[in-house]
Amino acid sequence: MQLFTSWLQKCLQMLSSLQEAGLPHTIHLTYTALCPSCNLEQDFLQQAIASHLMTFGRSIVVGHLADRVNLVVHTLSLFSWEWERACSRQVLDGKQWPYAHDLCIQGLLKNKEGSYDLPVQDFMYSKFPSTIIDVQKRNVQQTSSLVEHPRQSYMVAVEELSQLYHDKAEACSIAAVYQSADIPETLIKTLLDELHKLPVQSGIREAFIAHFMHLLQRRALTMIKYVEVETQKGRQPLKGGLKKLCQDLNLSTDGDFRIILATAEKLKPGLCDILYREKRHVADYLTNSGEIF
């Protein structure tokens, strides 16, 4: 009962934080890193946005200064769906909330020692992997791989249920494994290059980003239809494996594949299970094009 009470308090605290520090419905370019006056490095920005899309729109932004953290939070929110913005929060000076799993975007402030509280059990328990963006260090990481995360999430859930049943609290026994988000991609690079050529006034850049997000969804729907046809809606293995899928859908880089796949999974939950059901497809793709997870 004590553990359940603690969980309920955290849930109420999370809902309260969304009400107090939730993102506005409309994000203006002025408050993002895409504003011409912002001096955030494009390579770092590109990696952060790309990784955010690869990890299903789940990102944790950490730093010392609230305004710098919020700058990145607002930028990522432009690359999120409307309901995802409603489940995201920025940071406030003098206010510190703990990490809450399954918020889409959330900012965390570091303490005076330069550290921050990110419990392993909590982010492993989330539905999807997350991107961790350190604004101060200009570092972008992902919490786990696309294939490993469901297994780790299941193990953490079983462990937590066991603790609730026995009414005891213990540290998570599953170790966190971070991986680099430095993954080759062309979608975000091309977008940023074209975005800088457009005028800032009249919401043109915002409209261009919105069009890009719609384009991602259209390409994701194409992937969904392709997989349904080639697998007879999951009743048989994918013909030709992932290599043929990427060739047919013109996904030339690992990062582009991940971005479209993550978008497709959000539109059609279970798509990843169909693609990775046969390990030989994964092995075949890895042999020919390198790491995809």
Side-chain angles (χ1 to χ4, degrees):
M1 182 61 70
Q2 184 178 358
L3 286 176
F4 177 76
T5 302
S6 174
W7 175 86
L8 186 59
Q9 289 174 342
K10 289 180 180 179
C11 182
L12 293 174
Q13 186 180 34
M14 181 269 292
L15 293 174
S16 175
S17 70
L18 284 177
Q19 185 176 16
E20 190 172 351
L23 296 181
H25 180 73
T26 302
I27 304 295
H28 296 286
L29 202 70
T30 309
Y31 303 108
T32 73
L34 299 174
C35 177
S37 60
C38 179
N39 58 359
L40 204 62
E41 299 86 349
Q42 179 156 323
D43 288 344
F44 169 69
L45 184 60
Q46 175 189 336
Q47 193 176 108
I49 296 172
S51 183
H52 171 71
L53 292 172
M54 291 178 203
T55 55
F56 306 85
R58 302 299 193 272
S59 292
I60 307 157
V61 185
V62 300
H64 277 302
L65 302 176
D67 58 341
R68 301 300 288 177
V69 170
N70 288 336
L71 186 76
V72 177
V73 168
H74 289 163
T75 304
L76 296 180
S77 69
L78 290 174
F79 297 87
S80 300
W81 299 352
E82 188 173 330
W83 70 266
E84 291 175 323
R85 291 181 193 172
C87 296
S88 302
R89 72 182 179 205
Q90 51 193 330
V91 296
L92 300 177
D93 276 322
K95 197 85 172 181
Q96 184 69 291
W97 291 288
Y99 167 79
H101 66 76
D102 285 330
L103 285 185
C104 295
I105 309 171
Q106 55 189 306
L108 291 176
L109 289 177
K110 294 182 178 181
N111 57 31
K112 294 180 180 179
E113 289 74 31
S115 61
Y116 53 92
D117 184 23
L118 188 58
V120 173
Q121 185 169 354
D122 284 352
F123 71 69
M124 281 189 176
Y125 192 52
S126 63
K127 184 178 180 181
F128 297 117
S130 297
T131 292
I132 302 177
I133 303 168
D134 191 319
V135 180
Q136 182 185 8
K137 295 181 179 179
R138 300 293 197 267
N139 185 37
V140 183
Q141 293 180 307
Q142 295 175 2
T143 56
S144 61
S145 70
L146 178 62
V147 173
E148 280 296 309
H149 184 79
R151 182 184 64 84
Q152 292 178 340
S153 182
Y154 172 79
M155 292 171 62
V156 169
V158 169
E159 188 172 295
E160 184 173 343
L161 286 173
S162 176
Q163 292 181 18
L164 283 170
Y165 180 78
H166 295 288
D167 197 23
K168 61 179 182 179
E170 296 178 355
C172 181
S173 61
I174 303 171
V177 179
Y178 299 105
Q179 61 182 23
S180 172
D182 186 14
I183 301 168
E185 60 82 28
T186 63
L187 291 173
I188 303 303
K189 184 180 186 305
T190 302
L191 170 75
L192 294 179
D193 289 343
E194 294 177 350
L195 198 66
H196 291 311
K197 300 175 184 177
L198 298 174
V200 182
Q201 299 80 10
S202 305
I204 295 176
R205 292 192 178 188
E206 291 93 329
F208 188 76
I209 294 171
H211 174 72
F212 171 79
M213 294 299 292
H214 285 301
L215 179 62
L216 288 186
Q217 292 187 39
R218 291 174 66 89
R219 295 190 68 174
L221 289 171
T222 302
M223 176 181 282
I224 292 169
K225 189 63 178 177
Y226 180 97
V227 173
E228 286 181 345
V229 171
E230 294 297 317
T231 65
Q232 294 187 4
K233 295 188 176 181
R235 289 191 290 269
Q236 66 179 29
L238 181 67
K239 295 179 182 178
L242 295 178
K243 180 182 178 181
K244 184 175 184 298
L245 179 147
C246 289
Q247 290 176 342
D248 291 346
L249 299 184
N250 194 27
L251 299 172
S252 58
T253 66
D254 182 13
D256 293 347
F257 169 74
R258 292 193 193 203
I259 290 172
I260 300 301
L261 177 61
T263 307
E265 175 68 20
K266 290 195 291 185
L267 292 171
K268 182 80 172 179
L271 186 73
C272 291
D273 292 338
I274 295 175
L275 289 178
Y276 297 131
R277 185 179 301 163
E278 293 288 330
K279 290 186 178 180
R280 65 183 181 85
H281 291 150
V282 178
D284 173 64
Y285 192 86
L286 287 174
T287 302
N288 288 279
S289 67
E291 179 66 59
I292 65 171
F293 310 122

